[in-house]
Amino acid sequence: MISSFFSLPLVAQLTLGSLLAASLFVLSKWWDNYTRLRNIPRPDGASKIWGHEWLEFEDDCGSQWRQWITRFGPNFKLKAAWGLCITDPKAIDRVLCKNAYNYPHSAVFRPIIERLTGRSIVWVEGEKDHKPMRALIAPAFTLDRIRAMGPDMWLAVNNVVARLQGSVEAKGGVRDINMLDWSATSTLDVIGRVAFNHDFQQGQSPEAVSIMEGWRKQANLGMVWEGFIALLALRQFPWIGRLPLPSIEAQSNIRNTIKPLASKLIQRGVSDLEHGRDLLSILLRANLGEEKEKRIKDDELLDHIVTFVIAGHETTSVVLNFTLYALAKNPECQRRLREEIMNCDHEASFDELWSNENFPYLDAVTREGFRLFPPSARNEKVADHDDVLPLGTPIVGTDGRLIHEIPIKAGQVIHIPTVAVNRFSSVWGDGDVFRPERWIEKTGTPDGKFLPGAWSGMLTFLVGPRSCLGYRLAVFEMKILLMAFVRAFEFEFIEPIETRMSATIQPRVVSRPQDGACLPLRIRPVAA
């Protein structure tokens, strides 16, 4: 048989040899995973071909994760992804806080992040590289900096609301809209002004149209069969992501659209370095203040701008969409929120909105939106080195014995389903229910012992050294958006949507999945 192999043409030898090597690689990883996690429970129902991947892909708002957690406990292994799912707070604390730099993004998602945003703060890994970059960017997100952004935020949002009001009036006082169009326009206008002092013209500038269309295409691709197959293939063979395939290279389209604009913004920022108050100006000043060898290069500055645009507009837009949908389905909540907002006759400042004393129900609705609808529904990490995950709550192994810690080998993929952690029934009671009142009730929210350090006891902005630097900006922006839209319009439910996993969670009409990401709402002006 061996002699027959060597008698084959060289191309055939290389092809068969590659297939054999790949098969052995897959088999060795499977066996290593099986022996290490042999006693960890695994949900049933896995496909022989897709494992648990398809169940997760078809999941609606993390319900599948929560079913698994209820049945098998807070930690379990998954078939096909070679993954370990953890939702135990103590284990999460180990991965995201105490030993965070041992758990970078997986080999599947890091190349995708690079193609989408470049080598910015989201992409960079390791304490040596990440820590100084975070320290350089952090001054742009201090309380004083965010506080000063209020007027620009209000200007951007009010302009979009005024344009939508004109559109509704032209339709006779009532109109059915796809809320995704208007939320993305609003948040892109906001990030343009506060990050670079740039006007995206209420989503109508050529760059704005290209950015929003490009992101919508990416979101839609992640929700369909082709996107599922692509992600599955990347999980098994991450090197595929480096191939010059059109579908892979298309992930860079948004970045390529933003970079020419970013170059102009940097040149303008340098010329007005002393007076600029936007994030870019602050970043440029901080960079020039560094020792020469510690300064970041122009390419990295461009990538930071791309990251600000994509992360800054899409994440808040996602939460706003689902929150307005929840308010449309809960008219009493919407009425109560509007009643509170209407008592304010001015553009509320950061200090007024950050405190929960001035607008308690607006604060409650905002927190409930971020809890129920985290834009990034799950995180996928991989261990760089061997480690041990302690468990706050022991789990029962397949042999019936209690497991108090889980040994982790280098290369182990770990899933943290944010959307499931944020909805724990053991923590939140009716965790799947949109009920803003929980944030006003004395016993409605978890104490600080659950996910210590996390904003409002949830994982939406993560926790630890890789937590979101811009969380204050996102919360402030969300409150302004809710205040402006709910004060101007009544939102009515039209038809059911489902929540689909993509780069961020996306709404899709149940009866029209072929339409892709879509959130239909009926709006009418609020009566004077």
Side-chain angles (χ1 to χ4, degrees):
M1 184 174 180
I2 295 176
S3 60
S4 299
F5 174 81
F6 285 107
S7 66
L8 294 171
L10 180 59
V11 174
Q13 291 182 35
L14 291 173
T15 301
L16 289 174
S18 298
L19 289 172
L20 178 61
S23 300
L24 290 173
F25 173 76
V26 171
L27 183 62
S28 66
K29 291 201 66 147
W30 173 83
W31 179 254
D32 188 43
N33 178 74
Y34 174 78
T35 54
R36 280 185 288 110
L37 302 178
R38 180 166 45 191
N39 200 31
I40 304 296
R42 187 182 76 185
D44 51 14
S47 164
K48 291 182 179 179
I49 300 176
W50 314 122
H52 292 101
E53 298 280 355
W54 182 253
L55 293 173
E56 181 196 9
F57 180 74
E58 284 290 281
D59 192 11
D60 181 23
C61 243
S63 60
Q64 181 62 70
W65 290 103
R66 294 190 299 282
Q67 289 176 31
W68 287 335
I69 292 166
T70 300
R71 184 174 175 187
F72 299 99
N75 310 286
F76 47 86
K77 61 187 178 185
L78 298 171
K79 183 181 179 183
W82 301 318
L84 174 70
C85 173
I86 63 169
T87 62
D88 184 286
K90 199 169 182 179
I92 290 174
D93 182 62
R94 178 69 182 174
V95 172
L96 298 183
C97 297
K98 290 186 169 63
N99 201 18
Y101 290 115
N102 185 51
Y103 294 94
H105 292 100
S106 74
V108 175
F109 287 101
R110 199 168 183 230
I112 296 174
I113 293 170
E114 182 178 5
R115 287 189 291 273
L116 285 173
T117 66
R119 300 190 171 195
S120 64
I121 187 71
V122 181
W123 175 86
V124 71
E125 298 288 358
E127 185 172 7
K128 181 181 177 182
D129 294 325
H130 177 264
K131 204 169 184 178
M133 186 180 287
R134 186 178 174 95
L136 181 69
I137 297 173
F141 294 96
T142 63
L143 279 173
D144 286 341
R145 301 296 187 191
I146 305 299
R147 184 179 286 114
M149 296 174 186
D152 284 328
M153 286 192 185
W154 274 111
L155 176 62
V157 175
N158 284 338
N159 284 343
V160 174
V161 168
R163 185 160 73 90
L164 182 54
Q165 285 175 319
S167 175
V168 174
E169 289 174 7
K171 292 287 186 179
V174 61
R175 183 185 171 190
D176 293 352
I177 63 170
N178 180 1
M179 192 62 213
L180 271 62
D181 298 332
W182 295 93
S183 62
T185 295
S186 302
T187 55
L188 187 58
D189 262 30
V190 166
I191 203 65
R193 290 183 181 276
V194 303
F196 332 110
N197 191 27
H198 179 74
D199 184 6
F200 280 114
Q201 301 171 14
Q202 301 165 47
Q204 296 175 298
S205 72
E207 301 99 335
V209 171
S210 181
I211 290 168
M212 290 189 292
E213 287 182 351
W215 185 261
R216 189 72 59 82
K217 288 178 181 177
Q218 286 294 320
N220 285 335
L221 179 61
M223 295 190 293
V224 297
W225 169 256
E226 292 83 356
F228 168 73
I229 293 296
L231 187 57
L232 195 68
L234 284 170
R235 281 212 178 98
Q236 306 290 349
F237 307 106
W239 51 265
I240 293 175
R242 304 188 192 98
L243 298 178
L245 301 175
S247 58
I248 291 174
E249 292 182 334
Q251 292 174 340
S252 300
N253 288 348
I254 302 174
R255 180 168 171 248
N256 294 337
T257 297
I258 299 172
K259 288 195 82 169
L261 171 63
S263 297
K264 296 177 184 177
L265 294 173
I266 287 176
Q267 292 303 316
R268 190 193 67 197
V270 170
S271 65
D272 190 30
L273 192 60
E274 183 178 350
H275 302 99
R277 66 180 185 181
D278 54 273
L279 295 178
L280 177 58
S281 298
I282 296 166
L283 185 59
L284 287 170
R285 286 197 294 270
N287 195 40
L288 288 177
E290 289 287 328
E291 298 174 16
K292 194 170 183 179
E293 61 273 12
K294 293 182 179 179
R295 293 177 185 173
I296 57 178
K297 299 175 183 178
D298 285 350
D299 281 347
E300 291 180 20
L301 275 172
L302 291 172
D303 289 342
H304 286 313
I305 293 176
V306 175
T307 300
F308 287 158
V309 170
I310 293 178
H313 98 274
E314 169 62 14
T315 52
T316 308
S317 175
V318 165
V319 184
L320 177 65
N321 288 328
F322 283 102
T323 303
L324 289 176
Y325 177 76
L327 288 171
K329 292 190 69 177
N330 294 271
E332 179 56 28
C333 293
Q334 186 179 165
R335 183 204 62 76
R336 183 175 175 181
L337 175 60
R338 183 174 296 109
E339 185 177 86
E340 179 180 272
I341 290 171
M342 287 299 194
N343 289 326
C344 179
D345 60 359
H346 61 278
E347 295 175 351
S349 67
F350 174 84
D351 292 318
E352 288 177 289
L353 290 175
W354 191 254
S355 168
N356 62 1
E357 295 179 2
N358 300 297
F359 302 96
Y361 203 68
L362 173 62
D363 183 78
V365 170
T366 299
R367 291 176 192 269
E368 190 73 340
F370 277 109
R371 180 188 73 83
L372 278 172
F373 313 115
S376 180
R378 66 176 180 80
N379 277 270
E380 189 170 300
K381 303 288 188 178
V382 62
D384 258 356
H385 305 285
D386 292 359
D387 196 17
V388 176
L389 299 185
L391 303 181
T393 303
I395 60 174
V396 180
T398 56
D399 62 1
R401 291 183 295 179
L402 289 180
I403 299 173
H404 297 271
E405 59 184 27
I406 301 176
I408 299 296
K409 288 285 187 180
Q412 175 64 58
V413 176
I414 294 176
H415 300 263
I416 304 176
T418 306
V419 68
V421 176
N422 281 3
R423 296 180 177 216
F424 271 162
S425 294
S426 59
V427 174
W428 303 95
D430 50 350
D432 285 328
V433 178
F434 178 79
R435 193 170 64 82
E437 289 75 15
R438 76 176 75 249
W439 298 98
I440 299 173
E441 299 164 355
K442 290 183 179 180
T443 59
T445 56
D447 59 30
K449 294 180 182 179
F450 180 73
L451 297 176
W455 181 74
S456 297
M458 64 181 81
L459 268 187
T460 302
F461 298 109
L462 295 183
V463 65
R466 299 304 301 251
S467 61
C468 177
L469 274 169
Y471 79 94
R472 292 190 188 95
L473 172 59
V475 174
F476 185 26
E477 180 185 11
M478 179 69 172
K479 289 186 176 182
I480 288 177
L481 287 162
L482 281 172
M483 205 169 191
F485 275 102
V486 174
R487 182 160 53 193
F489 304 106
E490 294 179 2
F491 293 86
E492 297 179 15
F493 169 80
I494 298 178
E495 53 187 322
I497 63 166
E498 59 185 354
T499 306
R500 303 297 301 168
M501 303 285 190
S502 188
T504 54
I505 61 171
Q506 296 292 327
R508 189 173 72 179
V509 178
V510 174
S511 62
R512 293 182 281 117
Q514 69 277 5
D515 290 352
C518 183
L519 179 57
L521 290 174
R522 180 165 295 134
I523 63 172
R524 62 182 79 243
V526 172

